[in-house]
Amino acid sequence: MAYGDGTIFEFTDSRSGKTFWMAKIYIDGKAKTCRFDHSRDGKKAAAEWLRSARRDKEDGIRLTDQTLRQAVEKYIRTNDMARLKKEKIKRPTFSRTLSTIKSIPTWLMDMSVSEIKKDDLNMALNQLGERMSSNGVNKARSILKRVLDNEVENDRLRKNPMNTIQRERHSSSEDVEIYSRQELWRMYRAAHYIQSSGTYHSIIHDYGLLFAILLTTGMRIGEVLSLQWEYVDLTTGQETIRVRYTLDSHWYKNADQKSLILNTPKTKSSIRDIPLQSPHVIRKLKAIECQRENHQFLFETRDGTPISYQNFFRRWDSICREAAHRCPHCGTVRPNHWKCECGNTVTRRRVKCNACGAKRPTEWSCPVCGNTVKEIHKKPHTTRHTYISYMIARGTPIASVSKVVGHSSPQVTLDVYTHVTHGYMDELRTLYRGNIKNPLK
């Protein structure tokens, strides 16, 4: 191998006595080195590292001029993709990493690695916190820390500024919200209205049943969308749902194309059996089972594939909006049109005004009783919070709740749902008091 292209040689540490493969190349007059395990895989990794360094040299990238975007792309190419090929990480994990990278602010990704300071990282993480959960922010923080640690190991950075930034704690009691009794009934009624209304003529799925399954089993939305009939046991007295897969969106390399694939859940504890406790859900499932014709999934498209996340969340937004279709106090129907501030009259289901582009108001005043009716914009994951909170409030052991909902350990359940022992108890008792209109009953 030519000197300008770098070299790989054996190196023995005088302190520990261990032998490594050492890769070395000169860029900008500076020696750039990296050590690897003294094994066949280590030598292959050293050769791959050397090829990446030569590409940087040919592209004219100086050590101090490399942007964070270039550093992230190189790290993913040389580390995560290699681990993916060796099946050391799963495809859903790799897809979530790519999705998290896309959410990092552009201004930070375009900064030079040597110019990034602690304040810049804090500002970027705060911006992420406005539109992502604490888990998503911690995922982005972990990726940035790994990339910057790699830059330090390769002498592109003196020290990692991410080391001084504290990791955000898991969801606190303020982050966990549940549905009130009235919100539950409004959402459930809105789901049935969308299915039966002529306005939504393209709907072929029973979103009322989907909402009830989410609420009465605590399943994640990806687990419900990937649910197959062969994993639904409707034997009388033994009604059970077996969670074996979750729906994953996989990005292709070239563009924004996506394909839906089924994957095993992220953790082993997520593969579980959930007892069906709601007679309403059992009756609906048995009625559908008698009428189905070789359908594989409970909720599938006309092509026989599961519903995509994009289509589900589009319909979920419609359910949230239609929850304000009727006044819950007097039953008055919402006016068909709304008046924009610019004076233009817009049909009720249009999201924006054609004249000025203003968004449709999320609340309206009932002309009969004068009450203000608001749209309910809560995430589908709120049904999971409601179910777990209810199970704990009725005295179910924490270990049993953790096993049913697929938490990795009972400690996770305790850390997230400590609020149930305080102010939520009275609200939960009211929420699940015997009521024929309650989907759980």
Side-chain angles (χ1 to χ4, degrees), residues 213 217-220 222-247 262-265 268-277 281 285 289 296-298 403-406:
I213 291 177
T217 61
M219 296 172 66
R220 302 175 180 91
E223 296 169 347
V224 175
L225 295 182
S226 61
L227 192 58
Q228 304 177 43
W229 278 107
E230 62 176 307
Y231 297 118
V232 179
D233 184 5
L234 296 178
T235 305
T236 303
Q238 301 178 3
E239 294 86 354
T240 308
I241 288 179
R242 298 180 179 90
V243 179
R244 297 294 181 269
Y245 297 100
T246 185
L247 197 65
L262 297 183
N263 276 303
T264 55
K268 293 181 180 179
S269 56
S270 296
I271 301 176
R272 62 199 189 276
D273 292 344
I274 304 176
L276 289 175
Q277 306 176 33
V281 173
L285 288 177
E289 187 184 31
Q296 180 181 2
F297 300 94
L298 262 71
K403 185 176 181 180
V404 169
V405 299

Side-chain angles (χ1 to χ4, degrees), residues 238-352:
Q238 301 178 3
E239 294 86 354
T240 308
I241 288 179
R242 298 180 179 90
V243 179
R244 297 294 181 269
Y245 297 100
T246 185
L247 197 65
D248 179 54
S249 295
H250 169 58
W251 279 267
Y252 290 104
K253 293 181 180 179
N254 53 356
D256 295 332
Q257 284 183 308
K258 292 182 182 179
S259 67
L260 295 174
I261 57 177
L262 297 183
N263 276 303
T264 55
K266 185 178 180 181
T267 60
K268 293 181 180 179
S269 56
S270 296
I271 301 176
R272 62 199 189 276
D273 292 344
I274 304 176
L276 289 175
Q277 306 176 33
S278 171
H280 169 77
V281 173
I282 295 173
R283 286 195 302 269
K284 296 277 285 186
L285 288 177
K286 287 184 177 180
I288 297 175
E289 187 184 31
C290 296
Q291 301 173 1
R292 69 186 182 95
E293 300 176 357
N294 298 324
H295 291 300
Q296 180 181 2
F297 300 94
L298 262 71
F299 305 98
E300 65 180 19
T301 63
R302 292 184 175 90
D303 298 330
T305 59
I307 307 173
S308 65
Y309 283 107
Q310 183 179 5
N311 288 335
F312 169 78
F313 282 107
R314 184 186 297 117
R315 196 55 58 210
W316 183 264
D317 288 339
S318 300
I319 294 174
C320 291
R321 290 195 299 267
E322 290 299 333
H325 171 69
R326 190 182 296 271
C327 176
H329 302 282
C330 64
T332 304
V333 178
R334 187 176 186 174
N336 289 330
H337 302 83
W338 56 278
K339 196 79 171 179
C340 183
E341 294 181 356
C342 68
N344 185 34
T345 301
V346 189
T347 56
R348 179 171 61 86
R349 289 186 177 83
R350 291 196 64 86
V351 180
K352 291 184 178 180

Side-chain angles (χ1 to χ4, degrees), residues 31-264:
K32 182 181 177 185
T33 60
C34 188
R35 63 173 63 179
F36 301 87
D37 292 336
H38 193 265
S39 62
R40 180 179 297 180
D41 292 338
K43 192 170 184 178
K44 289 181 180 179
E48 178 61 32
W49 179 88
L50 209 54
R51 282 193 290 269
S52 177
R54 284 200 300 271
R55 285 194 295 266
D56 292 348
K57 186 175 181 179
E58 293 171 0
D59 295 339
I61 300 176
R62 296 178 58 87
L63 295 178
T64 56
D65 292 342
Q66 184 174 225
T67 63
L68 180 61
R69 188 183 304 279
Q70 292 170 330
V72 170
E73 291 175 354
K74 188 194 308 181
Y75 179 83
I76 295 297
R77 185 172 60 248
T78 58
N79 290 273
D80 286 12
M81 290 188 68
R83 294 176 63 197
L84 181 64
K85 290 179 181 178
K86 296 179 181 178
E87 298 184 353
K88 291 185 177 180
I89 58 174
K90 294 184 178 181
R91 173 66 66 176
T93 303
F94 183 71
S95 299
R96 282 189 289 269
T97 300
L98 297 182
S99 178
T100 304
I101 290 172
K102 290 182 179 180
S103 65
I104 298 176
T106 306
W107 61 267
L108 181 67
M109 298 292 286
D110 293 336
M111 287 184 65
S112 174
V113 173
S114 59
E115 296 177 356
I116 295 178
K117 305 298 180 185
K118 176 182 176 181
D119 293 340
D120 299 323
L121 295 171
N122 273 325
M123 186 182 300
L125 293 176
N126 289 335
Q127 290 183 8
L128 286 175
E130 295 176 356
R131 61 178 187 272
M132 298 176 66
S133 64
S134 59
N135 286 336
V137 175
N138 286 331
K139 179 72 173 175
R141 179 190 177 280
S142 175
I143 294 172
L144 291 174
K145 186 178 185 305
R146 284 189 288 145
V147 172
L148 295 178
D149 279 341
N150 185 64
E151 296 299 296
V152 173
E153 292 177 3
N154 290 278
D155 298 326
R156 295 193 187 99
L157 201 61
R158 289 187 177 182
K159 62 179 181 179
N160 188 351
M162 185 62 76
N163 291 334
T164 59
I165 300 178
Q166 295 293 329
R167 180 182 177 88
E168 286 195 19
R169 300 190 65 178
H170 200 69
S171 300
S172 61
S173 58
E174 289 88 18
D175 296 329
V176 177
E177 59 179 2
I178 66 172
Y179 283 103
S180 66
R181 180 181 174 183
Q182 186 183 88
E183 288 175 341
L184 270 181
W185 172 234
R186 288 170 59 189
M187 289 288 290
Y188 191 66
R189 185 174 58 183
H192 280 287
Y193 173 79
I194 281 180
Q195 184 186 9
S196 59
S197 173
T199 305
Y200 300 92
H201 55 82
S202 62
I203 299 301
I204 62 174
H205 312 293
D206 189 350
Y207 279 93
L209 175 62
L210 195 154
F211 180 76
I213 291 177
L214 286 172
L215 188 64
T216 58
T217 61
M219 296 172 66
R220 302 175 180 91
I221 181 59
E223 296 169 347
V224 175
L225 295 182
S226 61
L227 192 58
Q228 304 177 43
W229 278 107
E230 62 176 307
Y231 297 118
V232 179
D233 184 5
L234 296 178
T235 305
T236 303
Q238 301 178 3
E239 294 86 354
T240 308
I241 288 179
R242 298 180 179 90
V243 179
R244 297 294 181 269
Y245 297 100
T246 185
L247 197 65
D248 179 54
S249 295
H250 169 58
W251 279 267
Y252 290 104
K253 293 181 180 179
N254 53 356
D256 295 332
Q257 284 183 308
K258 292 182 182 179
S259 67
L260 295 174
I261 57 177
L262 297 183
N263 276 303
T264 55

